[in-house]
């Protein structure tokens, strides 16, 4: 989710010889990312196993079938989505039984947000951020987060 231009997707495909399907809400990112993926050297490195499509992380059903994903990741995406439970439900729908999901996201610290100077690379204004402190973020993702993972944080 939140594939952007597809750089991490291409790295996964090239490193792990896997097929990667990335989605992003921004059509311009998807068009540019697919163009980059088609460059001869990049297509050779990835085996042509990267496709990017326009989709909303809260409803990927047109692009991703139920239980069709072995593993997925989200990099700096959840912080921009207010509906964490809806996001978790959609991820869970797409993952196969036993599938894995990784998150790398900004979390709010105590009082964080007010001191930031906007615009930032990931947000034009404070209202566009949906940051939560770590404990609140995790509590909003009960659909797929096993209790043992909380201890690792």
């Amino acid at each position: 989710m939140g594939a952007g231009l597809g750089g991490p997707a291409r790295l996964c495909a090239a490193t792990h010889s896997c097929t990667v399907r990335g989605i992003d809400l921004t059509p311009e990112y998807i068009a540019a990312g697919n163009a980059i993926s088609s460059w001869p050297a990049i297509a050779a490195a990835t085996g042509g196993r990267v496709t990017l499509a326009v989709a909303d992380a809260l409803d990927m059903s047109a692009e991703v079938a139920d239980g069709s994903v072995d593993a997925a990741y989200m990099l700096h995406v959840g912080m921009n989505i207010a509906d964490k439970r809806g996001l978790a439900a959609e991820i869970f729908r797409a993952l196969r039984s036993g599938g894995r999901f990784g998150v790398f996201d900004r979390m709010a610290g105590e009082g964080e947000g007010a001191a930031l100077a906007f615009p930032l690379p990931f947000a034009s204004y404070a209202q566009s951020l949906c940051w939560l402190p770590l404990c609140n973020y995790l509590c909003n993702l009960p659909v797929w987060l096993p209790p043992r993972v909380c201890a690792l944080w």
Side-chain angles (χ1 to χ4, degrees):
M1 279 111 344
L5 298 175
R10 287 187 291 277
L11 180 63
C12 281
T15 304
H16 302 289
S17 298
C18 60
T19 299
V20 181
R21 178 108 173 130
I23 63 110
D24 197 281
L25 197 54
T26 309
E28 295 83 2
Y29 290 168
I30 295 302
N34 282 325
I36 293 167
S37 293
S38 72
W39 294 351
I42 291 176
T46 63
R49 293 182 303 268
V50 176
T51 55
L52 306 175
V54 177
D56 186 332
L58 295 173
D59 181 11
M60 302 179 290
S61 58
E63 296 295 331
V64 182
D66 295 0
S68 66
V69 177
D70 294 323
Y73 61 85
M74 182 172 67
L75 307 173
H76 293 288
V77 174
M79 67 185 189
N80 296 310
I81 299 174
D83 184 3
K84 304 284 192 277
R85 286 185 185 268
L87 177 62
E90 185 61 2
I91 293 163
F92 184 75
R93 179 199 64 75
L95 283 174
R96 68 165 169 77
S97 178
R100 295 181 177 243
F101 183 72
V103 175
F104 184 81
D105 218 341
R106 297 256 336 183
M107 307 289 171
E110 194 65 34
E112 191 172 5
L116 296 175
F118 291 90
L120 297 166
F122 52 86
S124 297
Y125 47 91
Q127 294 80 3
S128 66
L129 289 175
C130 301
W131 283 7
L132 292 173
L134 177 60
C135 60
N136 295 75
Y137 195 103
L138 296 178
C139 290
N140 275 286
L141 301 175
V143 174
W144 56 268
L145 190 67
R148 63 181 172 78
V149 173
C150 294
L152 299 175
W153 294 87

